[in-house]
Amino acid sequence: MKRVFVFDLDGTLIDSIEMINNCFNYTTKKFGLKPVEKEKFNYFLGDGPKILVEKSLDYLIERDNLDEAVINSKFYEIYDSYIEYYNGYDDKKTQMYPYIRESLDKLKEMGALVCVCTNKTLPAAEKILNNLFPQGYFDYVSALEDETKRKPNPFLLEKIVEDLDIKKEEIVYFGDTDTDIETCKNANVTSVGVEWGFREREELVESGADFVISDQRRIVDFYGELPKNIG
């Protein structure tokens, strides 16, 4: 029986592309670099902030013909500046995707445990969740505190299992990238790819998602026995 619902955050519960774009481009401006186009972050997101900065800087090096050695020598200075601003950014504009709150409320009424598992840093995850949900709404928030244990490493997901004392067979996990699906494979839990996020359906299918959905209202269909008419 599926009774523990675990959600990725960016691209699954919330559309945060604007916020992350703003934070990174605030940082690039400090270092005399040109901004990165917002749509590029659809593909830079998902693997944690360090990888996002790496991918973004690699893109700038290629696009603007920058000196790779010079940029790489400043990497940790740029990264630390981004993290400082990102963790302290009080974002009031990012919103949930349609029907997310209604679906989560219904799950809670049904008796499900509702959790978050994200490669966002813990301070940033807590800040955005507190802006959008009542305090203590989620039964567990597992977020990045150690870059070596970021998804697709199963650590963040297995931490939920251990701390809530639940069985993996009870979990269904929702995410919008191949990183999420790989995390589920590594942790041996049921995966649901969501099409409304930052990546295409093809990526979710090719990465081996157990199910793929395009309507946020279908989330509640996974409570109890797995549905047979989705996939």
Side-chain angles (χ1 to χ4, degrees), residues 21-62:
N21 176 247
N22 289 342
C23 287
F24 186 79
N25 285 336
Y26 173 87
T27 305
T28 58
K29 186 176 181 179
K30 283 181 59 178
F31 288 86
L33 301 172
K34 295 180 181 178
V36 174
E37 303 93 320
K38 183 173 68 173
E39 62 271 14
K40 295 296 180 182
F41 288 95
N42 285 330
Y43 301 96
F44 298 164
L45 275 162
D47 294 305
K50 188 174 182 181
I51 302 300
L52 179 142
V53 173
E54 287 179 358
K55 289 180 177 179
S56 300
L57 291 178
D58 286 344
Y59 170 72
L60 287 176
I61 289 168
E62 182 176 357

Side-chain angles (χ1 to χ4, degrees), residues 1-230:
M1 174 181 176
K2 301 299 183 183
R3 68 179 189 91
V4 183
F5 284 65
V6 180
F7 298 89
D8 171 53
L9 186 52
D10 297 294
T12 302
L13 295 182
I14 62 172
D15 184 0
S16 55
I17 202 82
E18 185 82 34
M19 180 268 284
I20 292 171
N21 176 247
N22 289 342
C23 287
F24 186 79
N25 285 336
Y26 173 87
T27 305
T28 58
K29 186 176 181 179
K30 283 181 59 178
F31 288 86
L33 301 172
K34 295 180 181 178
V36 174
E37 303 93 320
K38 183 173 68 173
E39 62 271 14
K40 295 296 180 182
F41 288 95
N42 285 330
Y43 301 96
F44 298 164
L45 275 162
D47 294 305
K50 188 174 182 181
I51 302 300
L52 179 142
V53 173
E54 287 179 358
K55 289 180 177 179
S56 300
L57 291 178
D58 286 344
Y59 170 72
L60 287 176
I61 289 168
E62 182 176 357
R63 188 195 70 184
D64 298 339
N65 195 27
L66 302 177
D67 188 316
E68 184 175 0
V70 170
I71 298 300
N72 288 342
S73 71
K74 296 180 179 180
F75 174 81
Y76 283 103
E77 188 180 356
I78 295 171
Y79 173 69
D80 289 343
S81 179
Y82 169 72
I83 286 295
E84 181 179 6
Y85 187 68
Y86 177 69
N87 285 345
Y89 190 77
D90 192 11
D91 179 25
K92 302 292 188 182
K93 295 183 179 180
T94 294
Q95 297 296 319
M96 287 174 272
Y97 286 104
Y99 305 111
I100 286 294
R101 181 58 186 272
E102 293 91 332
S103 294
L104 297 188
D105 285 348
K106 188 171 182 179
L107 285 174
K108 291 170 74 70
E109 291 171 5
M110 295 164 74
L113 298 179
V114 179
C115 309
V116 169
C117 182
T118 175
N119 272 341
K120 266 190 185 301
T121 62
L122 185 60
E126 290 178 337
K127 189 178 291 290
I128 188 64
L129 289 173
N130 288 339
N131 282 341
L132 295 173
F133 296 91
Q135 191 77 25
Y137 184 89
F138 290 94
D139 294 285
Y140 200 97
V141 176
S142 186
L144 196 65
E145 298 179 77
D146 181 347
E147 271 286 346
T148 66
K149 297 176 180 178
R150 62 181 173 82
K151 297 183 293 183
N153 186 308
F155 174 81
L156 291 173
L157 189 48
E158 291 180 341
K159 196 168 187 290
I160 296 174
V161 174
E162 180 179 351
D163 289 354
L164 291 183
D165 191 25
I166 56 177
K167 297 177 181 178
K168 290 184 178 181
E169 307 88 79
E170 299 175 304
I171 295 176
V172 59
Y173 176 103
F174 297 79
D176 69 306
T177 71
D178 57 353
T179 296
D180 294 305
I181 306 308
E182 187 177 348
T183 302
C184 292
K185 288 182 177 180
N186 291 338
N188 194 29
V189 303
T190 300
S191 60
V192 181
V194 304
E195 288 190 63
W196 57 80
F198 300 148
R199 306 288 175 82
E200 295 81 11
R201 177 184 178 88
E202 288 73 20
E203 176 177 309
L204 300 169
V205 172
E206 290 175 5
S207 60
D210 295 309
F211 301 88
V212 178
I213 59 174
S214 58
D215 187 334
Q216 296 89 341
R217 290 168 290 190
R218 300 306 302 265
I219 289 171
V220 299
D221 294 345
F222 289 85
Y223 183 82
E225 298 302 319
L226 288 173
K228 300 186 184 301
N229 60 339
I230 298 178

